[in-house]
Amino acid sequence: MAYAEWPAPALAPRLMGTDHVAHRRHAARMDATSPVPDARTHLALQSIRELLAAQQRRIRNYADAYQGRTVGAAAPTAPVSSTPLPPTPSGREVLEALSVPALLVAPLLGEDGRIRDALHVAQNTAARAYATERLPQGGVPRWQRPASLFERFPSLAGSPLPDMLAKALRERAPQGPILIEWVMTTSHGPVRINDQVRVAPCGEHLLITWERGHRLHMAAAAQQLVRTCWAEWNLGDGGVDPSRGFRQVLGLDAHADIPTLSGLAATVAPESLPELYRTLYDVILRKRTGICELRLNGAGSRVIRMTAEPVRIAPGSLVWALRAVLTDVTAERRRRASAERAEHEARRQRQRAEAVAEVANALREAVLPHFQDELAAYGLEAAAVYRPDAREAGVGGDWYKARGLPGGRLLVALGDARGHGLAAATLMAKLRYALAGLAYTEQPVEQLTQWLNESACADGLESTATAIIARYHPERGLLRWACAGHPRPVLVRDGAARQLPDPEGGPGLPLGVLPGTAYAAAEAFLRVDDIVLMYSDGLTERRDSDPDLDTQRFLDVAQQCHGGAPGAGHDALQEYAERIVGELDGPHRSDDATLLVLRRIPTPPSSP
């Protein structure tokens, strides 16, 4: 029926009535918050069903209006039976009228009544075009009738085709379509063919027709690969025309009924129903494409993206059907949700790291002093370089201290608390401030070290650290120091670097290991321009390396960087310290690294 025969599009608004207003009210009601989830679900399903029912009424009214216009059509002027008929077409003409490739064969029966071969009788133009397109030019000789089908194409004898021929002849009923795959040997080589084949009785002959089966299978494979299907719902009678992968995409059983639009709504999770309603509203009443994502009920929480468009029988007419492509995006949504969770966790960790870094920076500024000329009154210059473990928050367990004491003495210390990050920084802060308080007792450094050990032992099993605790007497240029499991200080004099000798009895145990440990002190007299280097083992240690070799490497670098001696002043001493650390630092380092450099200078004359 031609489009022009349908009622004018101007009829549509009259037939639609006030349904637009009603559905706007439904949308508003669905968007409103309901205290009972079940009530919202029921309202959404009711709204969808009413929308579909209203469209069905409009379509029927539209059809009734069309039939009313055709009631008064003029009757035929002469009986149909008296009209002369054209001559019946020949078999060749009927064969050529088929749009698909066709081959007419005569079955050859054996003594047992079974088909043993089929002889070629005729083929249509579509069959010749198929051979030209599918097979190499000149690869297959032309038919010479009569010709055996199975002698010409031997692999067909082992396919389902012989059984189809026999069954069609025996039952006098069409067979197929069945996918038949076979190999044809040509002068150019073997060619694999797969077609959807049908066999139908045609008098005493059999008619074989076929279509390119691989296209259907490619379409099915494509649907399965991207988990996509399509369907068209007739809004007049509720019929559905789905693609082959429809049930699979929706997670339905292979023999389940194809759902109507109302049935589809019943499988949708409650939170997706309002979105489905708005999409149907856009397609059916606004006549435009709609897209929504639907979470389905049942195990797996399958998520389907639905892209729907209106189907109209003529421009400007009602929407008679809804055509939709449905894609299973469950895996994509799960990956997105996983990525969002990972992003949220990364953001949380980044915020935490930023907060820890802020705390670490404040802590570092509080516990690691910057030297300029503060120690000049004691006849010393000082410089320090600190490199935190790159894996941590910018501060660790290394610490150093240099401050004046009553009586004109100077407390100098460098330590390394066990562990990494803020835990180590917290321990080193405790030890550093405990030492600052203990130093005002004016007790010798070996006693200070013992008391600091008791403090660390009382703090718990994890509170262990190494340290060098020293007091400098500027009037004599004397450095008295005690060692608690820490690398010994290095003296650089006249360009030569060497470790200071151990205290009597050797270095003591690290702090926090054993209560009641006694420590001894060693003494070193410094000359003007002598340099003392105190450092943490993170600066020298190499993984799987010999500690003695690590120490010798440090001595060599300290001596090489000394060169012709650092220039006078704090800046020159700081540059010397930076050069040493620069030579020793690198990607091998797995701990904090600290270097404290002291140089004796002439003591300024005291004020009168």
Side-chain angles (χ1 to χ4, degrees):
M1 186 175 295
Y3 290 157
E5 295 181 87
W6 286 85
L11 286 173
R14 176 169 58 83
L15 295 173
M16 291 169 66
T18 59
D19 285 331
H20 271 297
V21 176
H23 289 299
R24 289 194 190 98
R25 290 173 182 164
H26 277 305
R29 288 161 58 198
M30 291 172 65
D31 287 335
T33 301
S34 173
V36 183
D38 289 343
R40 290 200 301 271
T41 302
H42 176 74
L43 175 61
L45 287 172
Q46 179 184 357
S47 300
I48 290 173
R49 289 166 181 160
E50 290 180 6
L51 172 64
L52 297 173
Q55 186 68 6
Q56 187 178 57
R57 289 194 302 271
R58 287 192 289 272
I59 291 174
R60 290 177 177 176
N61 291 340
Y62 198 92
D64 290 344
Y66 163 74
Q67 291 181 4
R69 293 177 59 199
T70 59
V71 168
T77 56
V80 173
S81 59
S82 64
T83 303
L85 295 175
T88 302
S90 66
R92 164 61 62 182
E93 290 173 326
V94 172
L95 195 64
E96 290 295 340
L98 296 176
S99 61
V100 296
L103 187 67
L104 191 65
V105 298
L108 293 181
L109 303 179
E111 293 181 358
D112 57 358
R114 301 179 63 181
I115 289 181
R116 60 182 178 85
D117 206 341
L119 299 180
H120 166 264
V121 173
Q123 60 182 326
N124 65 358
T125 302
R128 288 189 291 272
Y130 175 89
T132 301
E133 175 190 355
R134 188 70 185 86
L135 303 175
Q137 187 174 4
V140 178
R142 296 179 62 85
W143 288 99
Q144 298 293 330
R145 293 183 294 175
S148 167
L149 183 66
F150 295 141
E151 285 182 4
R152 187 177 181 85
F153 307 120
S155 62
L156 276 177
S159 74
L161 182 61
D163 289 339
M164 294 177 69
L165 294 172
K167 196 171 183 179
L169 186 64
R170 183 176 62 253
E171 298 179 0
R172 308 302 298 172
Q175 305 298 315
I178 294 178
L179 179 68
I180 294 182
E181 296 188 77
W182 54 290
V183 176
M184 185 194 302
T185 302
T186 72
S187 58
H188 296 274
V191 177
R192 175 179 170 271
I193 298 174
N194 56 341
D195 292 322
Q196 292 280 354
V197 178
R198 295 175 174 83
V199 177
C202 186
E204 296 301 317
H205 294 77
L206 294 172
L207 182 67
I208 303 173
T209 59
W210 65 92
E211 296 180 82
R212 295 285 290 270
H214 73 286
R215 290 176 178 171
L216 299 175
H217 278 268
M218 285 175 64
Q223 290 183 67
Q224 184 176 4
L225 183 63
V226 298
R227 302 191 64 79
T228 295
C229 66
W230 53 86
E232 184 171 298
W233 283 274
N234 190 318
L235 299 175
D237 63 1
V240 190
D241 183 16
S243 68
R244 297 172 64 182
F246 189 87
R247 291 182 178 88
Q248 182 181 7
V249 170
L250 291 184
L252 301 176
D253 183 77
H255 303 290
D257 293 335
I258 298 297
T260 63
L261 284 175
S262 293
L264 178 64
T267 68
V268 171
E271 64 268 20
S272 296
L273 285 173
E275 190 173 357
L276 175 60
Y277 177 86
R278 282 188 285 270
T279 299
L280 296 178
Y281 182 95
D282 283 344
V283 173
I284 295 173
L285 296 183
R286 294 180 176 173
K287 303 177 183 179
R288 65 189 189 190
T289 299
I291 301 176
C292 62
E293 286 196 1
L294 308 175
R295 185 175 298 277
L296 304 184
N297 290 314
S301 298
R302 191 182 297 255
V303 180
I304 303 298
R305 181 191 294 124
M306 176 177 176
T307 303
E309 66 175 2
V311 179
R312 293 185 279 184
I313 198 66
S317 66
L318 290 172
V319 175
W320 291 73
L322 181 145
R323 183 184 298 127
V325 174
L326 297 94
T327 304
D328 185 350
V329 295
T330 307
E332 178 184 338
R333 291 297 165 266
R334 287 175 179 169
R335 285 193 296 268
R336 180 184 297 179
S338 177
E340 289 174 352
R341 287 194 298 269
E343 182 181 358
H344 174 75
E345 178 63 19
R347 186 164 53 249
R348 189 182 70 83
Q349 292 290 352
R350 184 169 58 251
Q351 291 171 348
R352 178 182 179 275
E354 290 172 351
V356 170
E358 184 177 352
V359 172
N361 289 334
L363 186 58
R364 183 170 60 245
E365 292 297 320
V367 302
L368 301 179
H370 300 281
F371 299 112
Q372 288 296 332
D373 298 323
E374 295 89 343
L375 306 184
Y378 299 91
L380 289 180
E381 287 178 336
V385 178
Y386 172 71
R387 295 285 185 269
D389 184 352
R391 300 169 301 175
E392 301 299 332
V395 69
D398 286 6
W399 57 277
Y400 56 88
K401 191 173 187 63
R403 66 179 302 169
L405 298 173
R409 307 293 190 266
L410 183 69
L411 174 67
V412 179
L414 186 142
D416 182 3
R418 179 184 183 276
H420 300 276
L422 284 180
T426 302
L427 174 58
M428 69 92 168
K430 292 178 182 178
L431 297 176
R432 185 177 185 276
Y433 288 113
L435 176 62
L438 294 171
Y440 278 90
T441 63
E442 298 188 12
Q443 293 296 314
V445 292
E446 51 270 43
Q447 183 63 61
L448 298 181
T449 306
Q450 184 175 351
W451 284 340
L452 201 59
N453 175 62
E454 299 298 326
S455 176
C457 288
D459 202 44
L461 295 175
E462 300 299 319
S463 297
T464 60
T466 63
I468 294 291
I469 310 298
R471 182 181 281 123
Y472 181 63
H473 302 256
E475 73 282 1
R476 293 188 292 163
L478 174 64
L479 183 71
R480 294 191 78 252
W481 56 279
C483 178
H486 199 85
R488 288 175 285 157
V490 169
L491 175 66
V492 182
R493 175 177 290 171
D494 298 328
R498 62 180 178 86
Q499 275 193 301
L500 293 177
D502 277 325
E504 185 177 350
L509 292 174
L511 304 174
V513 173
L514 183 65
T517 300
Y519 294 87
E523 296 183 349
F525 290 92
L526 305 183
R527 304 173 186 173
V528 173
D529 292 331
D530 277 355
I531 294 177
V532 175
L533 306 176
M534 297 183 184
Y535 60 96
S536 63
D537 56 11
L539 183 61
T540 59
E541 281 186 347
R542 302 291 188 272
R543 188 170 299 169
D544 301 327
S545 179
D546 186 334
D548 291 337
L549 293 178
D550 294 338
T551 300
Q552 186 58 52
R553 185 185 305 109
F554 178 78
L555 295 174
D556 293 341
V557 169
Q559 191 166 306
Q560 292 167 8
C561 292
H562 187 274
H570 169 269
D571 292 343
L573 192 64
Q574 183 68 38
E575 183 181 351
Y576 172 58
E578 297 281 357
R579 285 203 306 273
I580 293 175
V581 173
E583 289 291 331
L584 294 171
D585 198 9
H588 57 271
R589 182 167 57 82
S590 60
D591 200 357
D592 302 338
T594 303
L595 176 64
L596 177 62
V597 182
L598 303 173
R599 176 167 59 181
R600 185 180 180 190
I601 59 176
T603 305
S606 58
S607 302

